[in-house]
Amino acid sequence: MIEGLIHEPAGLKNFGIFFLLATLFLLFILGFVTYAILSERKVLGFMQLRYGPSHVGGKWGLLQTVADVLKLLIKEDIIPKLADRPLFILAPVIAFAPAFMVLAVIPFTDNMQFADIGIGLLYYIAISGISVVGVVSAGWASNNKYSLIGGMRAAAQMISYEIPLVMSVVGIILLTGSLNLNDIVAAQENYWFVLLQPLAFLIFIIASVSELNRTPFDLPEAESELVAGYHTEYSGFRWAFFMLAEYVYLFAMGAMTTVLFLGGWLPLFSFLDFIPGAVWFALKFSVVIFVIIWTRATFPRMRADHLMEFGWKVLLPLALANIFITAILKELF
């Protein structure tokens, strides 16, 4: 009992430190989400020959997203009379919490990571799949046919594209022999895996965009068909939670793509290693995010049947072929 009392202050101190760090990181992520939305609107405006946000916060509209968030926070919180109230309230939290949890295992530099666990890649895949439960719950709890269809589409889409997403990284696991994300980055010291696994990279990017429910895979919230899909009945800060979850996952997917295929914090060339690793990570991460935004501006929404066929008949066989080819080449060389 005395030993427990001796160790209790240290335990509380560690808890306080980790809680403070997590809070600061959450604030950083909120800042990213705020300006990722602004950046996306500006990039889309540029690609579509229009200005985008250009009033609130100067000609660049730097405070437009801040104003939008404040508007959402003061809007009335409406819960439909026939909705499943407890589940309706809980669904946005279920959708957001896993999006933030997966960030704990992502290494941003060799000494900037919350949790260096041996199975970081497995943890990321397992936890990220939980968010769809929140989406399906929101669709069901809203007691709205459009919301329910959006929730069911999200479930079908997640099942269809989670499989090729997971299988695309099996080749990397074969090459490195590890599920540790730090080991995966270290294995790319000579060659980034985007060069050794180009097919896996392509599959991972496509499946990631689908997992994010972004154009051209935004069937669960297709405005022209389902009003807004699974969050049709949501307003105010609860609706903001779903948007927050989407952009936090955008951050997570961009970071994970950087770690798995672009060498993480490693420099482009060895003679550039004087540039801090955090700068290299940020540059690669920004390119990935730009490509995802570019995809939204370029491709039209897919038809539901084409979406499912593409996942099962194209991405899945290609992912299997990549595993097979990688295994053969590893044995030969």
Side-chain angles (χ1 to χ4, degrees):
M1 184 174 180
I2 295 175
E3 184 179 355
L5 291 173
I6 292 174
H7 288 288
E8 186 176 357
L12 290 174
K13 180 180 178 181
N14 289 338
F15 174 79
I17 292 173
F18 278 105
F19 182 80
L20 178 61
L21 290 174
T23 303
L24 292 175
F25 188 51
L26 177 60
L27 293 175
F28 170 79
I29 293 298
L30 292 176
F32 165 81
V33 171
T34 300
Y35 286 97
I37 294 172
L38 176 65
S39 300
E40 181 167 17
R41 294 174 68 180
K42 296 296 285 187
V43 170
L44 292 175
F46 173 77
M47 291 184 172
Q48 296 167 356
L49 300 180
R50 53 186 178 81
Y51 290 109
S54 58
H55 290 83
V56 183
K59 70 174 185 177
W60 291 99
L62 296 178
L63 297 178
Q64 181 63 60
T65 309
V66 176
D68 292 340
V69 170
L70 291 176
K71 179 194 72 173
L72 288 172
L73 293 178
I74 63 176
K75 284 184 72 173
E76 182 180 1
D77 179 31
I78 299 173
I79 300 178
K81 182 178 180 181
L82 299 178
D84 185 332
R85 188 180 180 88
L87 196 57
F88 186 88
I89 294 173
L90 189 60
V93 179
I94 299 175
F96 167 73
F100 188 62
M101 290 171 62
V102 297
L103 300 178
V105 297
I106 296 178
F108 300 100
T109 67
D110 53 351
N111 56 6
M112 188 186 298
Q113 183 183 20
F114 275 87
D116 182 11
I117 59 178
I119 53 170
L121 181 55
L122 178 62
Y123 170 90
Y124 179 92
I125 293 169
I127 298 298
S128 63
I130 299 175
S131 282
V132 74
V133 177
V135 172
V136 175
S137 299
W140 167 259
S142 297
N143 196 32
N144 179 299
K145 60 184 179 182
Y146 295 116
S147 298
L148 181 59
I149 293 172
M152 297 306 294
R153 280 185 176 185
Q157 189 168 317
M158 188 277 290
I159 293 171
S160 300
Y161 283 81
E162 186 83 8
I163 298 173
L165 177 74
V166 174
M167 296 183 70
S168 67
V169 301
V170 172
I172 293 177
I173 298 171
L174 288 173
L175 292 175
T176 60
S178 175
L179 289 168
N180 187 296
L181 295 174
N182 289 284
D183 292 344
I184 290 174
V185 173
Q188 300 177 70
E189 186 173 359
N190 296 320
Y191 298 101
W192 296 353
F193 283 142
V194 68
L195 301 176
L196 300 179
Q197 294 277 294
L199 182 58
F201 174 73
L202 186 62
I203 295 170
F204 187 86
I205 285 290
I206 294 173
S208 296
V209 174
S210 178
E211 291 288 298
L212 291 169
N213 294 332
R214 293 176 61 87
T215 307
F217 304 104
D218 59 338
L219 273 296
E221 51 188 85
E223 294 87 353
S224 59
E225 303 170 23
L226 305 178
V227 186
Y230 58 89
H231 52 67
T232 296
E233 299 291 353
Y234 282 87
S235 63
F237 75 96
R238 299 191 199 281
W239 182 86
F241 254 92
F242 283 113
M243 293 300 100
L244 179 62
E246 177 181 332
Y247 280 90
V248 172
Y249 263 129
L250 176 64
F251 180 93
M253 282 296 186
M256 185 57 71
T257 304
T258 303
V259 167
L260 293 179
F261 294 98
L262 302 179
W265 59 86
L266 299 178
L268 183 61
F269 300 106
S270 58
F271 65 85
L272 296 174
D273 58 359
F274 64 91
I275 300 175
V279 174
W280 281 113
F281 191 98
L283 289 173
K284 299 173 188 177
F285 170 82
S286 299
V287 171
V288 174
I289 299 300
F290 176 77
V291 169
I292 294 175
I293 295 173
W294 188 1
T295 301
R296 177 179 176 181
T298 305
F299 294 98
R301 182 182 299 125
M302 295 183 71
R303 253 171 47 183
D305 56 333
H306 290 172
L307 176 101
M308 301 301 289
E309 287 181 1
F310 185 67
W312 290 104
K313 295 182 179 180
V314 178
L315 291 187
L316 182 58
L318 287 176
L320 286 169
N322 182 71
I323 295 173
F324 184 69
I325 294 170
T326 302
I328 291 177
L329 293 178
K330 181 174 172 59
E331 286 298 318
L332 293 177
F333 301 102

mmCIF file of all heavy atoms in Angstrom, residues 200-225:
data_model
loop_
_atom_site.group_PDB
_atom_site.id
_atom_site.type_symbol
_atom_site.label_atom_id
_atom_site.label_comp_id
_atom_site.label_asym_id
_atom_site.label_seq_id
_atom_site.Cartn_x
_atom_site.Cartn_y
_atom_site.Cartn_z
ATOM 1 N N ALA A 200 1.075 -0.554 -55.323
ATOM 2 C CA ALA A 200 0.520 -0.471 -53.969
ATOM 3 C C ALA A 200 0.227 0.980 -53.602
ATOM 4 O O ALA A 200 -0.793 1.276 -52.967
ATOM 5 C CB ALA A 200 1.500 -1.075 -52.968
ATOM 6 N N PHE A 201 1.112 1.897 -53.998
ATOM 7 C CA PHE A 201 0.899 3.326 -53.729
ATOM 8 C C PHE A 201 -0.374 3.815 -54.398
ATOM 9 O O PHE A 201 -1.189 4.526 -53.778
ATOM 10 C CB PHE A 201 2.108 4.115 -54.228
ATOM 11 C CG PHE A 201 1.938 5.604 -54.143
ATOM 12 C CD1 PHE A 201 1.975 6.249 -52.920
ATOM 13 C CD2 PHE A 201 1.750 6.356 -55.292
ATOM 14 C CE1 PHE A 201 1.823 7.631 -52.833
ATOM 15 C CE2 PHE A 201 1.593 7.730 -55.219
ATOM 16 C CZ PHE A 201 1.635 8.370 -53.993
ATOM 17 N N LEU A 202 -0.577 3.438 -55.654
ATOM 18 C CA LEU A 202 -1.768 3.868 -56.390
ATOM 19 C C LEU A 202 -3.036 3.319 -55.740
ATOM 20 O O LEU A 202 -4.027 4.043 -55.549
ATOM 21 C CB LEU A 202 -1.664 3.403 -57.844
ATOM 22 C CG LEU A 202 -2.756 3.882 -58.793
ATOM 23 C CD1 LEU A 202 -2.743 5.394 -58.895
ATOM 24 C CD2 LEU A 202 -2.575 3.253 -60.173
ATOM 25 N N ILE A 203 -3.007 2.036 -55.365
ATOM 26 C CA ILE A 203 -4.165 1.414 -54.717
ATOM 27 C C ILE A 203 -4.449 2.076 -53.382
ATOM 28 O O ILE A 203 -5.601 2.361 -53.036
ATOM 29 C CB ILE A 203 -3.927 -0.101 -54.530
ATOM 30 C CG1 ILE A 203 -3.824 -0.800 -55.885
ATOM 31 C CG2 ILE A 203 -5.049 -0.735 -53.699
ATOM 32 C CD1 ILE A 203 -3.351 -2.238 -55.791
ATOM 33 N N PHE A 204 -3.386 2.337 -52.620
ATOM 34 C CA PHE A 204 -3.554 2.941 -51.298
ATOM 35 C C PHE A 204 -4.179 4.334 -51.405
ATOM 36 O O PHE A 204 -5.080 4.675 -50.634
ATOM 37 C CB PHE A 204 -2.199 3.022 -50.587
ATOM 38 C CG PHE A 204 -2.270 3.470 -49.157
ATOM 39 C CD1 PHE A 204 -2.497 2.553 -48.145
ATOM 40 C CD2 PHE A 204 -2.118 4.809 -48.819
ATOM 41 C CE1 PHE A 204 -2.573 2.954 -46.815
ATOM 42 C CE2 PHE A 204 -2.190 5.220 -47.501
ATOM 43 C CZ PHE A 204 -2.419 4.288 -46.503
ATOM 44 N N ILE A 205 -3.718 5.136 -52.360
ATOM 45 C CA ILE A 205 -4.252 6.495 -52.529
ATOM 46 C C ILE A 205 -5.725 6.436 -52.912
ATOM 47 O O ILE A 205 -6.568 7.155 -52.347
ATOM 48 C CB ILE A 205 -3.447 7.260 -53.590
ATOM 49 C CG1 ILE A 205 -2.095 7.697 -53.017
ATOM 50 C CG2 ILE A 205 -4.216 8.480 -54.076
ATOM 51 C CD1 ILE A 205 -2.189 8.791 -51.976
ATOM 52 N N ILE A 206 -6.072 5.584 -53.876
ATOM 53 C CA ILE A 206 -7.467 5.484 -54.329
ATOM 54 C C ILE A 206 -8.362 5.008 -53.197
ATOM 55 O O ILE A 206 -9.430 5.580 -52.930
ATOM 56 C CB ILE A 206 -7.572 4.537 -55.538
ATOM 57 C CG1 ILE A 206 -6.831 5.132 -56.742
ATOM 58 C CG2 ILE A 206 -9.040 4.274 -55.896
ATOM 59 C CD1 ILE A 206 -6.742 4.191 -57.934
ATOM 60 N N ALA A 207 -7.934 3.948 -52.500
ATOM 61 C CA ALA A 207 -8.740 3.411 -51.403
ATOM 62 C C ALA A 207 -8.834 4.413 -50.253
ATOM 63 O O ALA A 207 -9.866 4.490 -49.575
ATOM 64 C CB ALA A 207 -8.142 2.090 -50.913
ATOM 65 N N SER A 208 -7.784 5.199 -50.027
ATOM 66 C CA SER A 208 -7.818 6.209 -48.972
ATOM 67 C C SER A 208 -8.861 7.279 -49.265
ATOM 68 O O SER A 208 -9.617 7.686 -48.378
ATOM 69 C CB SER A 208 -6.439 6.865 -48.829
ATOM 70 O OG SER A 208 -5.475 5.930 -48.412
ATOM 71 N N VAL A 209 -8.901 7.737 -50.510
ATOM 72 C CA VAL A 209 -9.893 8.741 -50.894
ATOM 73 C C VAL A 209 -11.298 8.180 -50.709
ATOM 74 O O VAL A 209 -12.207 8.880 -50.254
ATOM 75 C CB VAL A 209 -9.662 9.190 -52.351
ATOM 76 C CG1 VAL A 209 -10.782 10.130 -52.810
ATOM 77 C CG2 VAL A 209 -8.318 9.891 -52.492
ATOM 78 N N SER A 210 -11.475 6.902 -51.027
ATOM 79 C CA SER A 210 -12.779 6.277 -50.824
ATOM 80 C C SER A 210 -13.124 6.173 -49.347
ATOM 81 O O SER A 210 -14.262 6.424 -48.936
ATOM 82 C CB SER A 210 -12.797 4.881 -51.458
ATOM 83 O OG SER A 210 -14.030 4.233 -51.238
ATOM 84 N N GLU A 211 -12.132 5.825 -48.511
ATOM 85 C CA GLU A 211 -12.371 5.735 -47.078
ATOM 86 C C GLU A 211 -12.718 7.097 -46.483
ATOM 87 O O GLU A 211 -13.452 7.176 -45.492
ATOM 88 C CB GLU A 211 -11.121 5.181 -46.383
ATOM 89 C CG GLU A 211 -10.827 3.725 -46.688
ATOM 90 C CD GLU A 211 -11.801 2.789 -46.029
ATOM 91 O OE1 GLU A 211 -11.866 2.758 -44.800
ATOM 92 O OE2 GLU A 211 -12.516 2.086 -46.760
ATOM 93 N N LEU A 212 -12.228 8.157 -47.103
ATOM 94 C CA LEU A 212 -12.526 9.511 -46.631
ATOM 95 C C LEU A 212 -13.887 9.999 -47.116
ATOM 96 O O LEU A 212 -14.320 11.097 -46.732
ATOM 97 C CB LEU A 212 -11.446 10.479 -47.122
ATOM 98 C CG LEU A 212 -10.047 10.318 -46.512
ATOM 99 C CD1 LEU A 212 -9.027 11.142 -47.283
ATOM 100 C CD2 LEU A 212 -10.054 10.732 -45.053
ATOM 101 N N ASN A 213 -14.535 9.214 -47.971
ATOM 102 C CA ASN A 213 -15.824 9.610 -48.560
ATOM 103 C C ASN A 213 -15.724 10.925 -49.323
ATOM 104 O O ASN A 213 -16.625 11.761 -49.291
ATOM 105 C CB ASN A 213 -16.919 9.727 -47.476
ATOM 106 C CG ASN A 213 -17.251 8.398 -46.850
ATOM 107 O OD1 ASN A 213 -17.108 7.344 -47.485
ATOM 108 N ND2 ASN A 213 -17.674 8.413 -45.603
ATOM 109 N N ARG A 214 -14.611 11.104 -50.001
ATOM 110 C CA ARG A 214 -14.405 12.323 -50.773
ATOM 111 C C ARG A 214 -14.607 12.048 -52.257
ATOM 112 O O ARG A 214 -14.488 10.909 -52.710
ATOM 113 C CB ARG A 214 -12.997 12.876 -50.538
ATOM 114 C CG ARG A 214 -12.775 13.391 -49.116
ATOM 115 C CD ARG A 214 -11.344 13.831 -48.925
ATOM 116 N NE ARG A 214 -10.994 14.909 -49.827
ATOM 117 C CZ ARG A 214 -11.185 16.201 -49.566
ATOM 118 N NH1 ARG A 214 -11.725 16.577 -48.418
ATOM 119 N NH2 ARG A 214 -10.835 17.127 -50.418
ATOM 120 N N THR A 215 -14.898 13.111 -53.010
ATOM 121 C CA THR A 215 -15.062 13.002 -54.451
ATOM 122 C C THR A 215 -13.838 12.323 -55.068
ATOM 123 O O THR A 215 -12.703 12.653 -54.698
ATOM 124 C CB THR A 215 -15.228 14.406 -55.068
ATOM 125 O OG1 THR A 215 -16.275 15.081 -54.377
ATOM 126 C CG2 THR A 215 -15.567 14.324 -56.533
ATOM 127 N N PRO A 216 -14.011 11.369 -55.988
ATOM 128 C CA PRO A 216 -15.261 10.941 -56.635
ATOM 129 C C PRO A 216 -15.993 9.799 -55.922
ATOM 130 O O PRO A 216 -16.840 9.156 -56.531
ATOM 131 C CB PRO A 216 -14.754 10.471 -58.002
ATOM 132 C CG PRO A 216 -13.406 9.893 -57.708
ATOM 133 C CD PRO A 216 -12.823 10.745 -56.609
ATOM 134 N N PHE A 217 -15.657 9.567 -54.652
ATOM 135 C CA PHE A 217 -16.270 8.466 -53.911
ATOM 136 C C PHE A 217 -17.193 8.966 -52.800
ATOM 137 O O PHE A 217 -17.343 8.312 -51.770
ATOM 138 C CB PHE A 217 -15.179 7.579 -53.291
ATOM 139 C CG PHE A 217 -14.184 7.037 -54.269
ATOM 140 C CD1 PHE A 217 -12.912 7.577 -54.360
ATOM 141 C CD2 PHE A 217 -14.517 5.990 -55.116
ATOM 142 C CE1 PHE A 217 -11.981 7.086 -55.258
ATOM 143 C CE2 PHE A 217 -13.597 5.486 -56.021
ATOM 144 C CZ PHE A 217 -12.329 6.035 -56.100
ATOM 145 N N ASP A 218 -17.822 10.112 -52.995
ATOM 146 C CA ASP A 218 -18.653 10.695 -51.937
ATOM 147 C C ASP A 218 -20.118 10.256 -52.034
ATOM 148 O O ASP A 218 -21.031 11.046 -51.812
ATOM 149 C CB ASP A 218 -18.543 12.224 -51.957
ATOM 150 C CG ASP A 218 -18.976 12.821 -53.283
ATOM 151 O OD1 ASP A 218 -18.951 12.094 -54.289
ATOM 152 O OD2 ASP A 218 -19.343 14.007 -53.314
ATOM 153 N N LEU A 219 -20.329 8.985 -52.344
ATOM 154 C CA LEU A 219 -21.694 8.451 -52.458
ATOM 155 C C LEU A 219 -22.488 8.529 -51.159
ATOM 156 O O LEU A 219 -23.697 8.758 -51.184
ATOM 157 C CB LEU A 219 -21.649 7.000 -52.951
ATOM 158 C CG LEU A 219 -21.624 6.734 -54.463
ATOM 159 C CD1 LEU A 219 -22.903 7.223 -55.113
ATOM 160 C CD2 LEU A 219 -20.425 7.373 -55.130
ATOM 161 N N PRO A 220 -21.866 8.339 -49.968
ATOM 162 C CA PRO A 220 -22.659 8.390 -48.726
ATOM 163 C C PRO A 220 -23.287 9.741 -48.438
ATOM 164 O O PRO A 220 -24.227 9.823 -47.643
ATOM 165 C CB PRO A 220 -21.633 8.014 -47.640
ATOM 166 C CG PRO A 220 -20.603 7.217 -48.348
ATOM 167 C CD PRO A 220 -20.504 7.857 -49.706
ATOM 168 N N GLU A 221 -22.782 10.819 -49.044
ATOM 169 C CA GLU A 221 -23.351 12.140 -48.775
ATOM 170 C C GLU A 221 -23.630 12.890 -50.077
ATOM 171 O O GLU A 221 -23.536 14.120 -50.124
ATOM 172 C CB GLU A 221 -22.409 12.954 -47.888
ATOM 173 C CG GLU A 221 -20.982 13.008 -48.398
ATOM 174 C CD GLU A 221 -20.027 13.661 -47.417
ATOM 175 O OE1 GLU A 221 -19.531 12.958 -46.523
ATOM 176 O OE2 GLU A 221 -19.785 14.868 -47.555
ATOM 177 N N ALA A 222 -23.969 12.141 -51.118
ATOM 178 C CA ALA A 222 -24.208 12.738 -52.438
ATOM 179 C C ALA A 222 -25.356 13.742 -52.373
ATOM 180 O O ALA A 222 -26.515 13.362 -52.230
ATOM 181 C CB ALA A 222 -24.511 11.630 -53.444
ATOM 182 N N GLU A 223 -25.021 15.025 -52.482
ATOM 183 C CA GLU A 223 -26.033 16.071 -52.328
ATOM 184 C C GLU A 223 -27.128 15.986 -53.383
ATOM 185 O O GLU A 223 -28.296 16.238 -53.106
ATOM 186 C CB GLU A 223 -25.376 17.457 -52.388
ATOM 187 C CG GLU A 223 -24.448 17.763 -51.227
ATOM 188 C CD GLU A 223 -23.031 17.258 -51.481
ATOM 189 O OE1 GLU A 223 -22.825 16.562 -52.507
ATOM 190 O OE2 GLU A 223 -22.149 17.548 -50.655
ATOM 191 N N SER A 224 -26.762 15.628 -54.606
ATOM 192 C CA SER A 224 -27.749 15.587 -55.684
ATOM 193 C C SER A 224 -28.711 14.417 -55.565
ATOM 194 O O SER A 224 -29.750 14.401 -56.215
ATOM 195 C CB SER A 224 -27.028 15.519 -57.036
ATOM 196 O OG SER A 224 -26.190 14.369 -57.098
ATOM 197 N N GLU A 225 -28.371 13.441 -54.728
ATOM 198 C CA GLU A 225 -29.221 12.260 -54.580
ATOM 199 C C GLU A 225 -29.817 12.151 -53.175
ATOM 200 O O GLU A 225 -30.982 11.793 -53.017
ATOM 201 C CB GLU A 225 -28.412 10.983 -54.868
ATOM 202 C CG GLU A 225 -27.755 10.953 -56.229
ATOM 203 C CD GLU A 225 -26.785 9.794 -56.353
ATOM 204 O OE1 GLU A 225 -26.934 8.813 -55.611
ATOM 205 O OE2 GLU A 225 -25.859 9.887 -57.186
#
